[in-house]
Amino acid sequence: MSSPSTTLVASGCHITPSGCGFPAPGLDSFNFKPIFTIGSFAFTKPMLLAIICMLLVVGFFWAAFRKPKLVPTKLQLVGEIGYTFIARGIARDVIGKKGDKFVPFLTSIFFFVWVMNIMSIIPLAQFPVASRFAYPVALAVLVWITYMYLTFKTHGFLGGWKHLTYMQGLPKPLVPLIVFLEFLQNVITRPFTLAVRLWANMFAGHMLIVMFSVASWYLLTPSIMSAFAGGSFILAIGMTAFEVLIQFLQAYIFTLLTSLYISGALEEGH
């Protein structure tokens, strides 16, 4: 399926008295023709980008630490900075000393999400993988499984459910309501909001960049509308620069919330 921007550029459509209407970007901007198919399975561009992101993260840290030296190489130094950033800035601050063994997990999540987001500004890629809902959902499910596993491992089966749903010192009439609300929040709402937060930010950012980019081409005519085209192009550049910050922040927030869930699973009952 072709996107509005592709169709617009291919047709040479601009705003004129007899020209075409503005092809506002929509959900079709996030759909791609399959690169290849095997039966009912279709391999698409977002899948390819996700695999590339995984290989980039794994390849970088493997190359940085496969032969660590006392005096680090430039690549090792960059890897150590990234690893230390997660270890000290998230794991130790949120989880404490118990968080040391979760640093590889948190580092993997942070850099994988960040690289997936960065794909939106990479030439030829130009698409944030996390703007397809399935990818944030898959990561949120992984975090949820880790959270539930640590909860029941730390507190036992009955203790785990008590930890997830019960609060000490409640008036008896409020217990059923609080148990229901705590179950809803800890078991159902957490993975949902974790996925939606990442997806919505990447979806909205990409949509705005596409809209201003399409508008700058659509308004480009030998008339006063060229001034508006220039303004739209500047906004597209500005939104792209702003999106770079959002890409980092969303990876950081996703990792921070993951560490908060892990910390909650390990702490004593409330």
Side-chain angles (χ1 to χ4, degrees):
M1 182 180 293
S2 58
S3 66
S5 55
T6 304
T7 303
L8 180 68
V9 174
S11 63
C13 178
H14 298 280
I15 182 172
T16 58
S18 59
C20 61
F22 177 67
L27 293 178
D28 52 350
S29 299
F30 298 83
N31 294 329
F32 298 89
K33 293 181 179 180
I35 298 174
F36 65 85
T37 58
I38 301 176
S40 60
F41 172 77
F43 187 82
T44 60
K45 178 180 178 179
M47 295 180 184
L48 175 62
L49 293 178
I51 292 174
I52 291 174
C53 292
M54 178 193 68
L55 293 176
L56 286 174
V57 173
V58 173
F60 169 76
F61 281 101
W62 177 82
F65 295 111
R66 65 189 180 96
K67 292 182 179 180
K69 298 179 179 180
L70 186 61
V71 179
T73 62
K74 292 181 180 179
L75 192 62
Q76 182 183 335
L77 181 61
V78 173
E80 288 179 355
I81 291 173
Y83 189 87
T84 303
F85 169 71
I86 301 300
R88 296 182 180 177
I90 296 181
R92 273 296 183 96
D93 283 356
V94 176
I95 306 174
K97 291 184 178 181
K98 293 181 180 179
D100 289 349
K101 62 182 178 181
F102 298 104
V103 174
F105 177 64
L106 296 173
T107 302
S108 300
I109 286 179
F110 173 79
F111 282 99
F112 182 57
V113 173
W114 191 21
V115 173
M116 284 200 302
N117 294 344
I118 287 175
M119 284 293 156
S120 69
I121 61 172
I122 301 299
L124 300 180
Q126 295 176 309
F127 184 79
V129 181
S131 65
R132 293 298 296 265
F133 193 47
Y135 298 96
V137 166
L139 290 171
V141 168
L142 175 63
V143 173
W144 181 82
I145 291 173
T146 304
Y147 170 62
M148 298 299 287
Y149 169 76
L150 291 173
T151 297
F152 289 109
K153 180 182 178 182
T154 303
H155 304 282
F157 182 76
L158 294 178
W161 283 114
K162 183 179 179 181
H163 182 77
L164 289 168
T165 61
Y166 187 72
M167 298 178 66
Q168 299 286 351
L170 288 173
K172 290 184 179 180
L174 292 179
V175 170
L177 176 62
I178 297 301
V179 167
F180 172 74
L181 292 177
E182 286 288 297
F183 175 84
L184 192 67
Q185 175 187 349
N186 293 326
V187 180
I188 298 176
T189 306
R190 279 188 170 184
F192 176 75
T193 55
L194 189 64
V196 169
R197 184 182 293 104
L198 174 59
W199 166 76
N201 278 277
M202 292 301 100
F203 179 91
H206 184 66
M207 182 70 78
L208 286 171
I209 292 173
V210 171
M211 183 182 70
F212 287 120
S213 299
V214 170
S216 63
W217 174 266
Y218 180 70
L219 297 171
L220 186 61
T221 58
S223 66
I224 189 61
M225 300 307 295
S226 293
F228 295 101
S232 182
F233 181 74
I234 292 173
L235 283 174
I237 298 298
M239 284 301 305
T240 301
F242 180 69
E243 193 66 10
V244 173
L245 174 62
I246 298 300
Q247 290 159 5
F248 174 83
L249 287 178
Q250 287 306 310
Y252 180 82
I253 291 171
F254 194 96
T255 310
L256 180 64
L257 290 174
T258 300
S259 67
L260 286 170
Y261 299 160
I262 292 173
S263 177
L266 298 176
E267 70 182 10
E268 296 298 326
H270 47 260

